[in-house]
Amino acid sequence: MNLLRNLLLVFTTFAGFSAWGLEPVNDVDPWEPMNRRIFAFNETLDNYALLPIARGYKFVMPDSAERGVGNFILNIYEVNSVFNSLMQGRPTNALQTGGRFLVNTALGFGGLFDVATLMGIEPSPADFGQTLYTWGFEEGPFVMLPLIGPKTIRSGTGFFFDTYTSIPAFLDWKTAYLFWTLEVVDIRANLIKADDLITGDRYIFIRNAYMQRREYFVTGGKVTDTFSEFEEGDEYEDF
């Protein structure tokens, strides 16, 4: 029961922070010294392993094939969006997303082609972090996770929940890790161009960009201020 054990750990951790009375505060990054050390580790891993792999991936993959992989990955997570939309009390979004999944799976060769958008069925992604927002859970502090990258307590909880309740999690472990590895490489390849937009303190830039994009996502586009963002990609959230 590794799945249940991991989910219990995540929820226990999140519940602990909630029980301590997390309220919205000006300091979104009280763990900055620790986060910076983890960020430095992630940057080293990215520079020497993930980024070269992502560049090689883009080099050998035709643009059409790369789009197909991205479409396939997004199609897998449409199932998560269906259930999260239902948990958020948005049945119309759930029906729309469910329709996208069925159309793209049946007519788009398992999701390699986004036929649904061509038919006017637009994407309406939802994740468990957004569900927690809808239920009234506070964002919590910003945290940089090893290998995974920027999160907050709320979005991090949502990330683990969505990961371990996605379709790959119910397959054999080799297939699941192959899918998640491909997903990471695909996301990093899509973010290569965004590297040129980063100026000043790289840690601060990435932290602020992540927080702004998450606020935009969970509120459905209602943000309290503006920030120079990365070009919108296909991913539901930043890596």
PDB file of all heavy atoms in Angstrom, residues 157-189:
ATOM      1  N   THR A 157       1.177  19.579  -1.994  1.00  0.00           N
ATOM      2  CA  THR A 157       0.233  18.526  -1.616  1.00  0.00           C
ATOM      3  C   THR A 157      -0.581  18.092  -2.830  1.00  0.00           C
ATOM      4  O   THR A 157      -0.771  16.894  -3.073  1.00  0.00           O
ATOM      5  CB  THR A 157      -0.711  19.024  -0.508  1.00  0.00           C
ATOM      6  OG1 THR A 157       0.059  19.411   0.630  1.00  0.00           O
ATOM      7  CG2 THR A 157      -1.689  17.938  -0.090  1.00  0.00           C
ATOM      8  N   GLY A 158      -1.044  19.087  -3.593  1.00  0.00           N
ATOM      9  CA  GLY A 158      -1.810  18.763  -4.787  1.00  0.00           C
ATOM     10  C   GLY A 158      -1.004  17.995  -5.808  1.00  0.00           C
ATOM     11  O   GLY A 158      -1.512  17.064  -6.450  1.00  0.00           O
ATOM     12  N   PHE A 159       0.274  18.350  -5.943  1.00  0.00           N
ATOM     13  CA  PHE A 159       1.142  17.671  -6.905  1.00  0.00           C
ATOM     14  C   PHE A 159       1.261  16.181  -6.581  1.00  0.00           C
ATOM     15  O   PHE A 159       1.106  15.328  -7.463  1.00  0.00           O
ATOM     16  CB  PHE A 159       2.523  18.321  -6.897  1.00  0.00           C
ATOM     17  CG  PHE A 159       3.573  17.553  -7.654  1.00  0.00           C
ATOM     18  CD1 PHE A 159       3.661  17.641  -9.024  1.00  0.00           C
ATOM     19  CD2 PHE A 159       4.471  16.730  -6.984  1.00  0.00           C
ATOM     20  CE1 PHE A 159       4.621  16.927  -9.730  1.00  0.00           C
ATOM     21  CE2 PHE A 159       5.431  16.011  -7.672  1.00  0.00           C
ATOM     22  CZ  PHE A 159       5.504  16.108  -9.060  1.00  0.00           C
ATOM     23  N   PHE A 160       1.541  15.859  -5.321  1.00  0.00           N
ATOM     24  CA  PHE A 160       1.695  14.455  -4.946  1.00  0.00           C
ATOM     25  C   PHE A 160       0.376  13.700  -5.065  1.00  0.00           C
ATOM     26  O   PHE A 160       0.350  12.545  -5.497  1.00  0.00           O
ATOM     27  CB  PHE A 160       2.262  14.339  -3.530  1.00  0.00           C
ATOM     28  CG  PHE A 160       3.721  14.656  -3.446  1.00  0.00           C
ATOM     29  CD1 PHE A 160       4.164  15.824  -2.840  1.00  0.00           C
ATOM     30  CD2 PHE A 160       4.666  13.803  -3.988  1.00  0.00           C
ATOM     31  CE1 PHE A 160       5.516  16.126  -2.773  1.00  0.00           C
ATOM     32  CE2 PHE A 160       6.017  14.092  -3.933  1.00  0.00           C
ATOM     33  CZ  PHE A 160       6.439  15.256  -3.322  1.00  0.00           C
ATOM     34  N   PHE A 161      -0.723  14.354  -4.693  1.00  0.00           N
ATOM     35  CA  PHE A 161      -2.022  13.698  -4.816  1.00  0.00           C
ATOM     36  C   PHE A 161      -2.326  13.380  -6.279  1.00  0.00           C
ATOM     37  O   PHE A 161      -2.716  12.254  -6.620  1.00  0.00           O
ATOM     38  CB  PHE A 161      -3.121  14.590  -4.232  1.00  0.00           C
ATOM     39  CG  PHE A 161      -4.492  13.980  -4.281  1.00  0.00           C
ATOM     40  CD1 PHE A 161      -4.955  13.200  -3.236  1.00  0.00           C
ATOM     41  CD2 PHE A 161      -5.316  14.161  -5.388  1.00  0.00           C
ATOM     42  CE1 PHE A 161      -6.220  12.622  -3.281  1.00  0.00           C
ATOM     43  CE2 PHE A 161      -6.569  13.590  -5.442  1.00  0.00           C
ATOM     44  CZ  PHE A 161      -7.025  12.822  -4.391  1.00  0.00           C
ATOM     45  N   ASP A 162      -2.146  14.380  -7.161  1.00  0.00           N
ATOM     46  CA  ASP A 162      -2.440  14.164  -8.580  1.00  0.00           C
ATOM     47  C   ASP A 162      -1.507  13.133  -9.199  1.00  0.00           C
ATOM     48  O   ASP A 162      -1.924  12.343 -10.058  1.00  0.00           O
ATOM     49  CB  ASP A 162      -2.328  15.487  -9.342  1.00  0.00           C
ATOM     50  CG  ASP A 162      -3.499  16.421  -9.077  1.00  0.00           C
ATOM     51  OD1 ASP A 162      -4.617  15.917  -8.868  1.00  0.00           O
ATOM     52  OD2 ASP A 162      -3.297  17.645  -9.076  1.00  0.00           O
ATOM     53  N   THR A 163      -0.244  13.139  -8.780  1.00  0.00           N
ATOM     54  CA  THR A 163       0.716  12.175  -9.331  1.00  0.00           C
ATOM     55  C   THR A 163       0.322  10.755  -8.985  1.00  0.00           C
ATOM     56  O   THR A 163       0.298   9.871  -9.848  1.00  0.00           O
ATOM     57  CB  THR A 163       2.131  12.463  -8.800  1.00  0.00           C
ATOM     58  OG1 THR A 163       2.553  13.763  -9.243  1.00  0.00           O
ATOM     59  CG2 THR A 163       3.126  11.415  -9.310  1.00  0.00           C
ATOM     60  N   TYR A 164      -0.018  10.530  -7.715  1.00  0.00           N
ATOM     61  CA  TYR A 164      -0.305   9.165  -7.269  1.00  0.00           C
ATOM     62  C   TYR A 164      -1.742   8.737  -7.499  1.00  0.00           C
ATOM     63  O   TYR A 164      -2.119   7.627  -7.132  1.00  0.00           O
ATOM     64  CB  TYR A 164       0.081   9.017  -5.799  1.00  0.00           C
ATOM     65  CG  TYR A 164       1.572   8.958  -5.593  1.00  0.00           C
ATOM     66  CD1 TYR A 164       2.263  10.028  -5.027  1.00  0.00           C
ATOM     67  CD2 TYR A 164       2.305   7.839  -5.986  1.00  0.00           C
ATOM     68  CE1 TYR A 164       3.643   9.987  -4.858  1.00  0.00           C
ATOM     69  CE2 TYR A 164       3.676   7.787  -5.826  1.00  0.00           C
ATOM     70  CZ  TYR A 164       4.336   8.864  -5.258  1.00  0.00           C
ATOM     71  OH  TYR A 164       5.702   8.828  -5.092  1.00  0.00           O
ATOM     72  N   THR A 165      -2.559   9.613  -8.091  1.00  0.00           N
ATOM     73  CA  THR A 165      -3.911   9.207  -8.487  1.00  0.00           C
ATOM     74  C   THR A 165      -4.092   9.325 -10.002  1.00  0.00           C
ATOM     75  O   THR A 165      -5.215   9.224 -10.496  1.00  0.00           O
ATOM     76  CB  THR A 165      -4.980  10.075  -7.783  1.00  0.00           C
ATOM     77  OG1 THR A 165      -4.736  11.461  -8.067  1.00  0.00           O
ATOM     78  CG2 THR A 165      -4.958   9.844  -6.280  1.00  0.00           C
ATOM     79  N   SER A 166      -3.000   9.545 -10.736  1.00  0.00           N
ATOM     80  CA  SER A 166      -3.071   9.622 -12.196  1.00  0.00           C
ATOM     81  C   SER A 166      -3.048   8.215 -12.789  1.00  0.00           C
ATOM     82  O   SER A 166      -2.731   7.234 -12.106  1.00  0.00           O
ATOM     83  CB  SER A 166      -1.901  10.443 -12.747  1.00  0.00           C
ATOM     84  OG  SER A 166      -0.669   9.818 -12.455  1.00  0.00           O
ATOM     85  N   ILE A 167      -3.374   8.111 -14.054  1.00  0.00           N
ATOM     86  CA  ILE A 167      -3.423   6.813 -14.731  1.00  0.00           C
ATOM     87  C   ILE A 167      -2.105   6.046 -14.609  1.00  0.00           C
ATOM     88  O   ILE A 167      -2.115   4.844 -14.293  1.00  0.00           O
ATOM     89  CB  ILE A 167      -3.810   6.996 -16.214  1.00  0.00           C
ATOM     90  CG1 ILE A 167      -5.265   7.457 -16.325  1.00  0.00           C
ATOM     91  CG2 ILE A 167      -3.608   5.699 -16.998  1.00  0.00           C
ATOM     92  CD1 ILE A 167      -5.711   7.773 -17.745  1.00  0.00           C
ATOM     93  N   PRO A 168      -0.922   6.666 -14.825  1.00  0.00           N
ATOM     94  CA  PRO A 168       0.330   5.903 -14.731  1.00  0.00           C
ATOM     95  C   PRO A 168       0.552   5.252 -13.367  1.00  0.00           C
ATOM     96  O   PRO A 168       1.184   4.190 -13.288  1.00  0.00           O
ATOM     97  CB  PRO A 168       1.408   6.967 -14.999  1.00  0.00           C
ATOM     98  CG  PRO A 168       0.724   8.000 -15.812  1.00  0.00           C
ATOM     99  CD  PRO A 168      -0.674   8.054 -15.281  1.00  0.00           C
ATOM    100  N   ALA A 169       0.037   5.869 -12.291  1.00  0.00           N
ATOM    101  CA  ALA A 169       0.257   5.331 -10.947  1.00  0.00           C
ATOM    102  C   ALA A 169      -0.416   3.977 -10.760  1.00  0.00           C
ATOM    103  O   ALA A 169      -0.033   3.213  -9.863  1.00  0.00           O
ATOM    104  CB  ALA A 169      -0.255   6.314  -9.893  1.00  0.00           C
ATOM    105  N   PHE A 170      -1.388   3.663 -11.599  1.00  0.00           N
ATOM    106  CA  PHE A 170      -2.098   2.397 -11.475  1.00  0.00           C
ATOM    107  C   PHE A 170      -1.566   1.335 -12.445  1.00  0.00           C
ATOM    108  O   PHE A 170      -2.117   0.236 -12.524  1.00  0.00           O
ATOM    109  CB  PHE A 170      -3.599   2.620 -11.702  1.00  0.00           C
ATOM    110  CG  PHE A 170      -4.230   3.481 -10.647  1.00  0.00           C
ATOM    111  CD1 PHE A 170      -4.364   4.841 -10.832  1.00  0.00           C
ATOM    112  CD2 PHE A 170      -4.659   2.929  -9.447  1.00  0.00           C
ATOM    113  CE1 PHE A 170      -4.932   5.647  -9.852  1.00  0.00           C
ATOM    114  CE2 PHE A 170      -5.229   3.712  -8.463  1.00  0.00           C
ATOM    115  CZ  PHE A 170      -5.357   5.076  -8.661  1.00  0.00           C
ATOM    116  N   LEU A 171      -0.499   1.678 -13.169  1.00  0.00           N
ATOM    117  CA  LEU A 171       0.162   0.718 -14.036  1.00  0.00           C
ATOM    118  C   LEU A 171       1.360   0.123 -13.303  1.00  0.00           C
ATOM    119  O   LEU A 171       1.642   0.475 -12.158  1.00  0.00           O
ATOM    120  CB  LEU A 171       0.607   1.407 -15.332  1.00  0.00           C
ATOM    121  CG  LEU A 171      -0.487   2.151 -16.109  1.00  0.00           C
ATOM    122  CD1 LEU A 171       0.109   2.852 -17.320  1.00  0.00           C
ATOM    123  CD2 LEU A 171      -1.597   1.193 -16.544  1.00  0.00           C
ATOM    124  N   ASP A 172       2.086  -0.775 -13.946  1.00  0.00           N
ATOM    125  CA  ASP A 172       3.280  -1.319 -13.305  1.00  0.00           C
ATOM    126  C   ASP A 172       4.315  -0.211 -13.150  1.00  0.00           C
ATOM    127  O   ASP A 172       4.330   0.764 -13.901  1.00  0.00           O
ATOM    128  CB  ASP A 172       3.855  -2.483 -14.121  1.00  0.00           C
ATOM    129  CG  ASP A 172       4.344  -2.034 -15.500  1.00  0.00           C
ATOM    130  OD1 ASP A 172       3.512  -1.955 -16.426  1.00  0.00           O
ATOM    131  OD2 ASP A 172       5.542  -1.735 -15.633  1.00  0.00           O
ATOM    132  N   TRP A 173       5.200  -0.357 -12.153  1.00  0.00           N
ATOM    133  CA  TRP A 173       6.082   0.738 -11.768  1.00  0.00           C
ATOM    134  C   TRP A 173       7.034   1.142 -12.893  1.00  0.00           C
ATOM    135  O   TRP A 173       7.375   2.319 -13.026  1.00  0.00           O
ATOM    136  CB  TRP A 173       6.864   0.378 -10.509  1.00  0.00           C
ATOM    137  CG  TRP A 173       7.893  -0.708 -10.664  1.00  0.00           C
ATOM    138  CD1 TRP A 173       7.715  -2.037 -10.481  1.00  0.00           C
ATOM    139  CD2 TRP A 173       9.272  -0.537 -11.035  1.00  0.00           C
ATOM    140  NE1 TRP A 173       8.878  -2.725 -10.718  1.00  0.00           N
ATOM    141  CE2 TRP A 173       9.852  -1.829 -11.052  1.00  0.00           C
ATOM    142  CE3 TRP A 173      10.057   0.569 -11.347  1.00  0.00           C
ATOM    143  CZ2 TRP A 173      11.190  -2.032 -11.391  1.00  0.00           C
ATOM    144  CZ3 TRP A 173      11.386   0.369 -11.675  1.00  0.00           C
ATOM    145  CH2 TRP A 173      11.945  -0.920 -11.695  1.00  0.00           C
ATOM    146  N   LYS A 174       7.456   0.185 -13.723  1.00  0.00           N
ATOM    147  CA  LYS A 174       8.363   0.526 -14.827  1.00  0.00           C
ATOM    148  C   LYS A 174       7.684   1.448 -15.829  1.00  0.00           C
ATOM    149  O   LYS A 174       8.272   2.445 -16.281  1.00  0.00           O
ATOM    150  CB  LYS A 174       8.848  -0.747 -15.528  1.00  0.00           C
ATOM    151  CG  LYS A 174       9.813  -1.584 -14.693  1.00  0.00           C
ATOM    152  CD  LYS A 174      10.301  -2.784 -15.493  1.00  0.00           C
ATOM    153  CE  LYS A 174      11.274  -3.623 -14.666  1.00  0.00           C
ATOM    154  NZ  LYS A 174      11.762  -4.816 -15.424  1.00  0.00           N
ATOM    155  N   THR A 175       6.432   1.138 -16.167  1.00  0.00           N
ATOM    156  CA  THR A 175       5.691   1.983 -17.101  1.00  0.00           C
ATOM    157  C   THR A 175       5.430   3.360 -16.498  1.00  0.00           C
ATOM    158  O   THR A 175       5.551   4.386 -17.176  1.00  0.00           O
ATOM    159  CB  THR A 175       4.354   1.317 -17.474  1.00  0.00           C
ATOM    160  OG1 THR A 175       4.610   0.016 -18.034  1.00  0.00           O
ATOM    161  CG2 THR A 175       3.592   2.163 -18.475  1.00  0.00           C
ATOM    162  N   ALA A 176       5.078   3.383 -15.215  1.00  0.00           N
ATOM    163  CA  ALA A 176       4.797   4.648 -14.535  1.00  0.00           C
ATOM    164  C   ALA A 176       6.020   5.553 -14.534  1.00  0.00           C
ATOM    165  O   ALA A 176       5.932   6.742 -14.886  1.00  0.00           O
ATOM    166  CB  ALA A 176       4.334   4.380 -13.100  1.00  0.00           C
ATOM    167  N   TYR A 177       7.192   5.007 -14.163  1.00  0.00           N
ATOM    168  CA  TYR A 177       8.392   5.836 -14.096  1.00  0.00           C
ATOM    169  C   TYR A 177       8.893   6.230 -15.484  1.00  0.00           C
ATOM    170  O   TYR A 177       9.484   7.292 -15.654  1.00  0.00           O
ATOM    171  CB  TYR A 177       9.482   5.131 -13.290  1.00  0.00           C
ATOM    172  CG  TYR A 177       9.273   5.275 -11.802  1.00  0.00           C
ATOM    173  CD1 TYR A 177       8.705   4.244 -11.057  1.00  0.00           C
ATOM    174  CD2 TYR A 177       9.614   6.460 -11.149  1.00  0.00           C
ATOM    175  CE1 TYR A 177       8.482   4.386  -9.690  1.00  0.00           C
ATOM    176  CE2 TYR A 177       9.406   6.609  -9.794  1.00  0.00           C
ATOM    177  CZ  TYR A 177       8.836   5.570  -9.063  1.00  0.00           C
ATOM    178  OH  TYR A 177       8.616   5.723  -7.721  1.00  0.00           O
ATOM    179  N   LEU A 178       8.633   5.387 -16.477  1.00  0.00           N
ATOM    180  CA  LEU A 178       8.965   5.760 -17.852  1.00  0.00           C
ATOM    181  C   LEU A 178       8.123   6.956 -18.289  1.00  0.00           C
ATOM    182  O   LEU A 178       8.639   7.910 -18.890  1.00  0.00           O
ATOM    183  CB  LEU A 178       8.727   4.573 -18.788  1.00  0.00           C
ATOM    184  CG  LEU A 178       8.973   4.835 -20.283  1.00  0.00           C
ATOM    185  CD1 LEU A 178      10.436   5.208 -20.527  1.00  0.00           C
ATOM    186  CD2 LEU A 178       8.584   3.609 -21.109  1.00  0.00           C
ATOM    187  N   PHE A 179       6.834   6.924 -17.962  1.00  0.00           N
ATOM    188  CA  PHE A 179       5.945   8.041 -18.306  1.00  0.00           C
ATOM    189  C   PHE A 179       6.384   9.308 -17.590  1.00  0.00           C
ATOM    190  O   PHE A 179       6.482  10.386 -18.208  1.00  0.00           O
ATOM    191  CB  PHE A 179       4.501   7.698 -17.926  1.00  0.00           C
ATOM    192  CG  PHE A 179       3.541   8.842 -18.111  1.00  0.00           C
ATOM    193  CD1 PHE A 179       2.945   9.077 -19.346  1.00  0.00           C
ATOM    194  CD2 PHE A 179       3.245   9.690 -17.053  1.00  0.00           C
ATOM    195  CE1 PHE A 179       2.071  10.143 -19.522  1.00  0.00           C
ATOM    196  CE2 PHE A 179       2.368  10.759 -17.219  1.00  0.00           C
ATOM    197  CZ  PHE A 179       1.782  10.983 -18.453  1.00  0.00           C
ATOM    198  N   TRP A 180       6.648   9.226 -16.274  1.00  0.00           N
ATOM    199  CA  TRP A 180       7.016  10.419 -15.506  1.00  0.00           C
ATOM    200  C   TRP A 180       8.364  10.980 -15.956  1.00  0.00           C
ATOM    201  O   TRP A 180       8.559  12.190 -15.960  1.00  0.00           O
ATOM    202  CB  TRP A 180       7.026  10.101 -14.016  1.00  0.00           C
ATOM    203  CG  TRP A 180       5.649   9.866 -13.456  1.00  0.00           C
ATOM    204  CD1 TRP A 180       4.492  10.467 -13.860  1.00  0.00           C
ATOM    205  CD2 TRP A 180       5.277   8.948 -12.430  1.00  0.00           C
ATOM    206  NE1 TRP A 180       3.420   9.993 -13.133  1.00  0.00           N
ATOM    207  CE2 TRP A 180       3.871   9.070 -12.252  1.00  0.00           C
ATOM    208  CE3 TRP A 180       5.978   8.034 -11.629  1.00  0.00           C
ATOM    209  CZ2 TRP A 180       3.169   8.312 -11.298  1.00  0.00           C
ATOM    210  CZ3 TRP A 180       5.283   7.299 -10.686  1.00  0.00           C
ATOM    211  CH2 TRP A 180       3.897   7.427 -10.526  1.00  0.00           C
ATOM    212  N   THR A 181       9.277  10.100 -16.341  1.00  0.00           N
ATOM    213  CA  THR A 181      10.568  10.568 -16.861  1.00  0.00           C
ATOM    214  C   THR A 181      10.374  11.311 -18.173  1.00  0.00           C
ATOM    215  O   THR A 181      10.950  12.401 -18.388  1.00  0.00           O
ATOM    216  CB  THR A 181      11.528   9.387 -17.068  1.00  0.00           C
ATOM    217  OG1 THR A 181      11.753   8.734 -15.806  1.00  0.00           O
ATOM    218  CG2 THR A 181      12.859   9.862 -17.635  1.00  0.00           C
ATOM    219  N   LEU A 182       9.570  10.745 -19.065  1.00  0.00           N
ATOM    220  CA  LEU A 182       9.267  11.412 -20.338  1.00  0.00           C
ATOM    221  C   LEU A 182       8.590  12.752 -20.084  1.00  0.00           C
ATOM    222  O   LEU A 182       8.892  13.749 -20.764  1.00  0.00           O
ATOM    223  CB  LEU A 182       8.371  10.518 -21.193  1.00  0.00           C
ATOM    224  CG  LEU A 182       7.934  11.087 -22.547  1.00  0.00           C
ATOM    225  CD1 LEU A 182       9.137  11.337 -23.442  1.00  0.00           C
ATOM    226  CD2 LEU A 182       6.941  10.145 -23.218  1.00  0.00           C
ATOM    227  N   GLU A 183       7.700  12.797 -19.105  1.00  0.00           N
ATOM    228  CA  GLU A 183       6.996  14.042 -18.771  1.00  0.00           C
ATOM    229  C   GLU A 183       7.982  15.120 -18.327  1.00  0.00           C
ATOM    230  O   GLU A 183       7.909  16.273 -18.765  1.00  0.00           O
ATOM    231  CB  GLU A 183       5.975  13.771 -17.667  1.00  0.00           C
ATOM    232  CG  GLU A 183       5.208  15.013 -17.242  1.00  0.00           C
ATOM    233  CD  GLU A 183       4.290  14.744 -16.051  1.00  0.00           C
ATOM    234  OE1 GLU A 183       4.362  13.631 -15.472  1.00  0.00           O
ATOM    235  OE2 GLU A 183       3.525  15.650 -15.691  1.00  0.00           O
ATOM    236  N   VAL A 184       8.927  14.756 -17.453  1.00  0.00           N
ATOM    237  CA  VAL A 184       9.913  15.719 -16.957  1.00  0.00           C
ATOM    238  C   VAL A 184      10.779  16.243 -18.093  1.00  0.00           C
ATOM    239  O   VAL A 184      11.030  17.453 -18.205  1.00  0.00           O
ATOM    240  CB  VAL A 184      10.785  15.073 -15.853  1.00  0.00           C
ATOM    241  CG1 VAL A 184      11.988  15.961 -15.525  1.00  0.00           C
ATOM    242  CG2 VAL A 184       9.958  14.821 -14.597  1.00  0.00           C
ATOM    243  N   VAL A 185      11.242  15.338 -18.944  1.00  0.00           N
ATOM    244  CA  VAL A 185      12.091  15.749 -20.071  1.00  0.00           C
ATOM    245  C   VAL A 185      11.313  16.657 -21.020  1.00  0.00           C
ATOM    246  O   VAL A 185      11.831  17.677 -21.509  1.00  0.00           O
ATOM    247  CB  VAL A 185      12.632  14.516 -20.820  1.00  0.00           C
ATOM    248  CG1 VAL A 185      13.360  14.938 -22.101  1.00  0.00           C
ATOM    249  CG2 VAL A 185      13.568  13.714 -19.919  1.00  0.00           C
ATOM    250  N   ASP A 186      10.054  16.326 -21.280  1.00  0.00           N
ATOM    251  CA  ASP A 186       9.229  17.128 -22.182  1.00  0.00           C
ATOM    252  C   ASP A 186       8.998  18.524 -21.607  1.00  0.00           C
ATOM    253  O   ASP A 186       9.092  19.533 -22.327  1.00  0.00           O
ATOM    254  CB  ASP A 186       7.894  16.427 -22.426  1.00  0.00           C
ATOM    255  CG  ASP A 186       7.002  17.196 -23.385  1.00  0.00           C
ATOM    256  OD1 ASP A 186       7.327  17.248 -24.576  1.00  0.00           O
ATOM    257  OD2 ASP A 186       5.981  17.759 -22.930  1.00  0.00           O
ATOM    258  N   ILE A 187       8.706  18.612 -20.312  1.00  0.00           N
ATOM    259  CA  ILE A 187       8.505  19.915 -19.675  1.00  0.00           C
ATOM    260  C   ILE A 187       9.775  20.744 -19.731  1.00  0.00           C
ATOM    261  O   ILE A 187       9.751  21.938 -20.069  1.00  0.00           O
ATOM    262  CB  ILE A 187       8.048  19.731 -18.209  1.00  0.00           C
ATOM    263  CG1 ILE A 187       6.634  19.158 -18.164  1.00  0.00           C
ATOM    264  CG2 ILE A 187       8.097  21.061 -17.453  1.00  0.00           C
ATOM    265  CD1 ILE A 187       6.154  18.809 -16.775  1.00  0.00           C
ATOM    266  N   ARG A 188      10.921  20.103 -19.416  1.00  0.00           N
ATOM    267  CA  ARG A 188      12.182  20.858 -19.422  1.00  0.00           C
ATOM    268  C   ARG A 188      12.526  21.328 -20.827  1.00  0.00           C
ATOM    269  O   ARG A 188      13.026  22.448 -21.013  1.00  0.00           O
ATOM    270  CB  ARG A 188      13.331  19.993 -18.866  1.00  0.00           C
ATOM    271  CG  ARG A 188      14.640  20.780 -18.706  1.00  0.00           C
ATOM    272  CD  ARG A 188      14.452  21.888 -17.707  1.00  0.00           C
ATOM    273  NE  ARG A 188      15.636  22.741 -17.573  1.00  0.00           N
ATOM    274  CZ  ARG A 188      15.821  23.868 -18.244  1.00  0.00           C
ATOM    275  NH1 ARG A 188      14.924  24.269 -19.140  1.00  0.00           N
ATOM    276  NH2 ARG A 188      16.896  24.610 -18.025  1.00  0.00           N
ATOM    277  N   ALA A 189      12.241  20.503 -21.821  1.00  0.00           N
ATOM    278  CA  ALA A 189      12.509  20.906 -23.204  1.00  0.00           C
ATOM    279  C   ALA A 189      11.671  22.118 -23.597  1.00  0.00           C
ATOM    280  O   ALA A 189      12.143  23.022 -24.299  1.00  0.00           O
ATOM    281  CB  ALA A 189      12.226  19.736 -24.152  1.00  0.00           C
TER     282      ALA A 189
END
